[in-house]
Amino acid sequence: MKLGSHIVVNKNKEEVWSFLADPQNISKWDRGVRAVEPGTSTVLPGEGFEFTTIGHDASAPDHGRMAYRVGQTDPDAGCRVDLVNRDGNARYFKSAYWSFRVIGQSGIGSDNRARIECLVDFSLRARYLWLAPILYFMRRAIYRDLIGLKRVLECA
């Protein structure tokens, strides 16, 4: 299942890309993330970097922890972040990734604007297929998080 959304922000492409390149910033705009922990790898942020997000609900399995690996970081092609754990909240997914693409806006007066496109692509494990309609109807949550991202970027 693929779900996506986009938003235009009043920051240039380079500023947006720089902000998104640091996983520690996720908790500043993603409503479902309370904190981000770097992985145990010595890889610096960028391709191959691993990190774990921690959800707000401490009663969730494994405190809503989800581990990710950055699979691609390219200012033109975008970035891709793959889900790598299979326990806690990640147990529902056979595979999952999210990606961002930042496109500079051209035209008069738009040098400091960028379009952010976010895509979430996942497949559910067979026993959790019943979640598909629920997740589909929650697709606007991506846009709500992008509004949070816009707010953080434009206030910086």
Side-chain angles (χ1 to χ4, degrees):
M1 179 180 290
K2 292 183 181 185
L3 305 172
S5 191
H6 67 274
I7 198 162
V8 175
V9 298
N10 293 316
K11 289 288 183 178
N12 66 43
K13 178 180 176 178
E14 291 74 25
E15 290 173 292
V16 174
W17 184 253
S18 176
F19 183 84
L20 290 174
D22 184 356
Q24 290 297 326
N25 289 329
I26 296 170
S27 62
K28 295 176 182 175
W29 59 269
D30 187 319
R31 296 169 300 119
V33 176
R34 178 176 50 86
V36 176
E37 295 175 347
T40 57
S41 170
T42 58
V43 175
L44 296 174
E47 290 183 30
F49 182 74
E50 295 185 359
F51 62 94
T52 299
T53 60
I54 301 160
H56 291 282
D57 186 3
S59 66
D62 203 14
H63 301 286
R65 300 170 75 85
M66 296 180 81
Y68 297 95
R69 181 180 303 115
V70 178
Q72 172 187 329
T73 56
D74 181 278
D76 294 320
C79 70
R80 175 180 163 141
V81 180
D82 297 291
L83 181 66
V84 295
N85 67 317
R86 299 290 175 249
D87 54 353
N89 288 354
R91 71 186 180 280
Y92 304 118
F93 304 102
K94 191 181 331 178
S95 65
Y97 73 85
W98 46 272
S99 63
F100 282 98
R101 191 161 166 238
V102 182
I103 303 161
Q105 300 289 282
S106 59
I108 298 172
S110 61
D111 291 340
N112 286 322
R113 293 175 57 120
R115 176 184 167 107
I116 304 170
E117 298 175 346
C118 178
L119 173 72
V120 178
D121 188 339
F122 60 88
S123 58
L124 293 165
R125 295 184 183 278
R127 67 177 170 228
Y128 298 113
L129 286 176
W130 58 271
L131 285 172
I134 295 168
L135 293 170
Y136 177 77
F137 286 112
M138 291 178 62
R139 68 189 181 278
R140 297 203 40 84
I142 297 168
Y143 181 69
R144 285 192 297 275
D145 283 338
L146 289 177
I147 291 172
L149 177 57
K150 176 182 174 88
R151 190 175 308 123
V152 170
L153 282 167
E154 291 181 354
C155 288

